[in-house]
């Protein structure tokens, strides 16, 4: 299984990489410098240097291009305010739904499965991805951070 990770917070990448690595091959996309991109523990990292005046959301078309090129089974996105917005927009563009706040994530029969809280965490539902690409929001402290470096792709 191929998983692309993405976040607006650099501190999320080691955790996203650890969760993704437990399920398969990890690649990443970041809006940061080449030096910082190389610190992300993934097989390959795509990066875009931040442009002055751009908002983080302006990089959604680039993220969609990388998804089209890489053809991952899933995209793990850090569940920040901007990450939630990007996950929803990416999922809509891909014709799928964003799976939010999942825990206990597994990959079975080509699907991403997990437990999703509702009613403010009072109840939990088992959910599974639909479509060719799962867009999954990962909350902080879901995984122990991974460490390593990456091959950087511009």
């Amino acid at each position: 299984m191929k998983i692309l990770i993405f976040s607006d917070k650099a501190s999320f990448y080691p955790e996203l990489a650890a969760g993704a690595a437990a399920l398969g091959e990890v690649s990443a996309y970041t809006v940061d410098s080449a030096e910082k991109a190389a610190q992300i523990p993934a097989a390959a990292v795509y990066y875009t240097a931040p442009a002055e005046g751009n908002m983080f959301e302006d990089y959604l078309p680039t993220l969609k291009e990388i998804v089209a090129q890489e053809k991952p089974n899933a995209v793990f996105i850090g569940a920040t305010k901007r990450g939630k917005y990007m996950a929803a927009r990416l999922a809509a563009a891909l014709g799928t739904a964003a799976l939010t706040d999942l825990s206990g994530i597994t990959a079975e029969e080509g699907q991403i499965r997990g437990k999703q809280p509702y009613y403010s965490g009072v109840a939990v539902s088992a959910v599974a991805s639909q479509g060719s690409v799962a867009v999954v929001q990962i909350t902080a402290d879901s995984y122990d951070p991974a460490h390593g470096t990456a091959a950087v792709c511009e």
Side-chain angles (χ1 to χ4, degrees):
M1 179 164 277
K2 290 176 66 173
I3 300 174
L4 176 70
I5 61 175
F6 178 69
S7 181
D8 64 316
K9 304 272 186 208
S11 60
F12 247 114
Y13 281 101
E15 214 175 310
L16 292 171
L23 302 176
E25 177 186 335
V26 183
S27 60
Y29 171 53
T30 186
V31 179
D32 216 328
S33 67
E35 294 79 26
K36 292 216 176 157
Q39 296 171 11
I40 297 172
V45 177
Y46 297 87
Y47 80 97
T48 302
E52 190 172 327
N54 276 10
M55 293 182 59
F56 188 73
E57 294 80 0
D58 294 334
Y59 299 100
L60 181 64
T62 305
L63 178 59
K64 289 188 327 189
E65 287 175 21
I66 293 169
V67 169
Q69 177 183 329
E70 282 287 309
K71 298 186 182 352
N73 302 94
V75 180
F76 284 8
I77 298 177
T80 63
K81 286 181 183 179
R82 285 193 156 135
K84 289 181 179 196
Y85 174 82
M86 293 288 277
R89 296 284 306 265
L90 179 63
L94 298 173
T96 189
L99 301 175
T100 59
D101 303 326
L102 291 193
S103 63
I105 298 173
T106 61
E108 301 171 25
E109 300 173 9
Q111 291 182 314
I112 297 292
R113 297 175 183 268
K115 294 179 181 161
Q116 185 176 48
Y118 60 101
Y119 294 131
S120 299
V122 173
V124 177
S125 177
V127 297
S129 62
Q130 303 294 318
S132 60
V133 180
V135 178
V136 183
Q137 295 172 323
I138 308 292
T139 57
D141 301 323
S142 294
Y143 298 98
D144 290 329
H147 302 285
T149 58
V152 177
C153 309
E154 236 179 308

PDB file of all heavy atoms in Angstrom, residues 116-126:
ATOM      1  N   GLN A 116     -13.923   5.729  14.374  1.00  0.00           N
ATOM      2  CA  GLN A 116     -14.173   7.166  14.324  1.00  0.00           C
ATOM      3  C   GLN A 116     -15.134   7.549  15.455  1.00  0.00           C
ATOM      4  O   GLN A 116     -16.235   6.995  15.545  1.00  0.00           O
ATOM      5  CB  GLN A 116     -14.785   7.518  12.975  1.00  0.00           C
ATOM      6  CG  GLN A 116     -14.985   8.980  12.732  1.00  0.00           C
ATOM      7  CD  GLN A 116     -15.513   9.202  11.321  1.00  0.00           C
ATOM      8  OE1 GLN A 116     -16.455   8.544  10.901  1.00  0.00           O
ATOM      9  NE2 GLN A 116     -14.920  10.129  10.606  1.00  0.00           N
ATOM     10  N   PRO A 117     -14.711   8.471  16.329  1.00  0.00           N
ATOM     11  CA  PRO A 117     -15.599   8.871  17.427  1.00  0.00           C
ATOM     12  C   PRO A 117     -16.724   9.787  16.933  1.00  0.00           C
ATOM     13  O   PRO A 117     -16.570  10.506  15.958  1.00  0.00           O
ATOM     14  CB  PRO A 117     -14.665   9.629  18.367  1.00  0.00           C
ATOM     15  CG  PRO A 117     -13.592  10.159  17.480  1.00  0.00           C
ATOM     16  CD  PRO A 117     -13.433   9.160  16.366  1.00  0.00           C
ATOM     17  N   TYR A 118     -17.852   9.711  17.609  1.00  0.00           N
ATOM     18  CA  TYR A 118     -18.924  10.664  17.369  1.00  0.00           C
ATOM     19  C   TYR A 118     -19.639  10.932  18.694  1.00  0.00           C
ATOM     20  O   TYR A 118     -19.320  10.302  19.699  1.00  0.00           O
ATOM     21  CB  TYR A 118     -19.874  10.208  16.252  1.00  0.00           C
ATOM     22  CG  TYR A 118     -20.599   8.907  16.463  1.00  0.00           C
ATOM     23  CD1 TYR A 118     -21.923   8.894  16.882  1.00  0.00           C
ATOM     24  CD2 TYR A 118     -19.977   7.687  16.230  1.00  0.00           C
ATOM     25  CE1 TYR A 118     -22.603   7.695  17.070  1.00  0.00           C
ATOM     26  CE2 TYR A 118     -20.650   6.494  16.397  1.00  0.00           C
ATOM     27  CZ  TYR A 118     -21.965   6.502  16.828  1.00  0.00           C
ATOM     28  OH  TYR A 118     -22.635   5.322  17.011  1.00  0.00           O
ATOM     29  N   TYR A 119     -20.575  11.857  18.710  1.00  0.00           N
ATOM     30  CA  TYR A 119     -21.189  12.338  19.952  1.00  0.00           C
ATOM     31  C   TYR A 119     -20.102  12.740  20.943  1.00  0.00           C
ATOM     32  O   TYR A 119     -20.085  12.315  22.092  1.00  0.00           O
ATOM     33  CB  TYR A 119     -22.121  11.307  20.575  1.00  0.00           C
ATOM     34  CG  TYR A 119     -23.347  11.003  19.761  1.00  0.00           C
ATOM     35  CD1 TYR A 119     -23.716   9.697  19.492  1.00  0.00           C
ATOM     36  CD2 TYR A 119     -24.148  12.026  19.251  1.00  0.00           C
ATOM     37  CE1 TYR A 119     -24.835   9.406  18.749  1.00  0.00           C
ATOM     38  CE2 TYR A 119     -25.265  11.736  18.494  1.00  0.00           C
ATOM     39  CZ  TYR A 119     -25.609  10.429  18.253  1.00  0.00           C
ATOM     40  OH  TYR A 119     -26.724  10.144  17.508  1.00  0.00           O
ATOM     41  N   SER A 120     -19.161  13.543  20.481  1.00  0.00           N
ATOM     42  CA  SER A 120     -18.061  14.053  21.307  1.00  0.00           C
ATOM     43  C   SER A 120     -17.254  12.941  21.957  1.00  0.00           C
ATOM     44  O   SER A 120     -16.767  13.084  23.069  1.00  0.00           O
ATOM     45  CB  SER A 120     -18.596  15.018  22.371  1.00  0.00           C
ATOM     46  OG  SER A 120     -19.213  16.120  21.764  1.00  0.00           O
ATOM     47  N   GLY A 121     -17.118  11.822  21.261  1.00  0.00           N
ATOM     48  CA  GLY A 121     -16.303  10.725  21.752  1.00  0.00           C
ATOM     49  C   GLY A 121     -17.041   9.741  22.642  1.00  0.00           C
ATOM     50  O   GLY A 121     -16.454   8.758  23.106  1.00  0.00           O
ATOM     51  N   VAL A 122     -18.332   9.941  22.869  1.00  0.00           N
ATOM     52  CA  VAL A 122     -19.114   9.029  23.702  1.00  0.00           C
ATOM     53  C   VAL A 122     -19.287   7.680  23.002  1.00  0.00           C
ATOM     54  O   VAL A 122     -19.304   6.638  23.637  1.00  0.00           O
ATOM     55  CB  VAL A 122     -20.494   9.644  24.042  1.00  0.00           C
ATOM     56  CG1 VAL A 122     -21.387   8.653  24.764  1.00  0.00           C
ATOM     57  CG2 VAL A 122     -20.309  10.902  24.865  1.00  0.00           C
ATOM     58  N   ALA A 123     -19.372   7.707  21.678  1.00  0.00           N
ATOM     59  CA  ALA A 123     -19.547   6.480  20.904  1.00  0.00           C
ATOM     60  C   ALA A 123     -18.489   6.425  19.802  1.00  0.00           C
ATOM     61  O   ALA A 123     -17.901   7.440  19.433  1.00  0.00           O
ATOM     62  CB  ALA A 123     -20.945   6.449  20.295  1.00  0.00           C
ATOM     63  N   VAL A 124     -18.264   5.212  19.306  1.00  0.00           N
ATOM     64  CA  VAL A 124     -17.269   5.002  18.256  1.00  0.00           C
ATOM     65  C   VAL A 124     -17.897   4.149  17.160  1.00  0.00           C
ATOM     66  O   VAL A 124     -18.620   3.201  17.433  1.00  0.00           O
ATOM     67  CB  VAL A 124     -16.020   4.294  18.826  1.00  0.00           C
ATOM     68  CG1 VAL A 124     -15.020   3.997  17.729  1.00  0.00           C
ATOM     69  CG2 VAL A 124     -15.369   5.136  19.900  1.00  0.00           C
ATOM     70  N   SER A 125     -17.579   4.504  15.920  1.00  0.00           N
ATOM     71  CA  SER A 125     -18.099   3.777  14.767  1.00  0.00           C
ATOM     72  C   SER A 125     -16.939   3.202  13.962  1.00  0.00           C
ATOM     73  O   SER A 125     -15.902   3.857  13.808  1.00  0.00           O
ATOM     74  CB  SER A 125     -18.895   4.743  13.888  1.00  0.00           C
ATOM     75  OG  SER A 125     -19.364   4.107  12.729  1.00  0.00           O
ATOM     76  N   ALA A 126     -17.105   2.001  13.449  1.00  0.00           N
ATOM     77  CA  ALA A 126     -16.106   1.411  12.546  1.00  0.00           C
ATOM     78  C   ALA A 126     -16.384   1.951  11.150  1.00  0.00           C
ATOM     79  O   ALA A 126     -17.527   1.908  10.674  1.00  0.00           O
ATOM     80  CB  ALA A 126     -16.206  -0.103  12.559  1.00  0.00           C
TER      81      ALA A 126
END
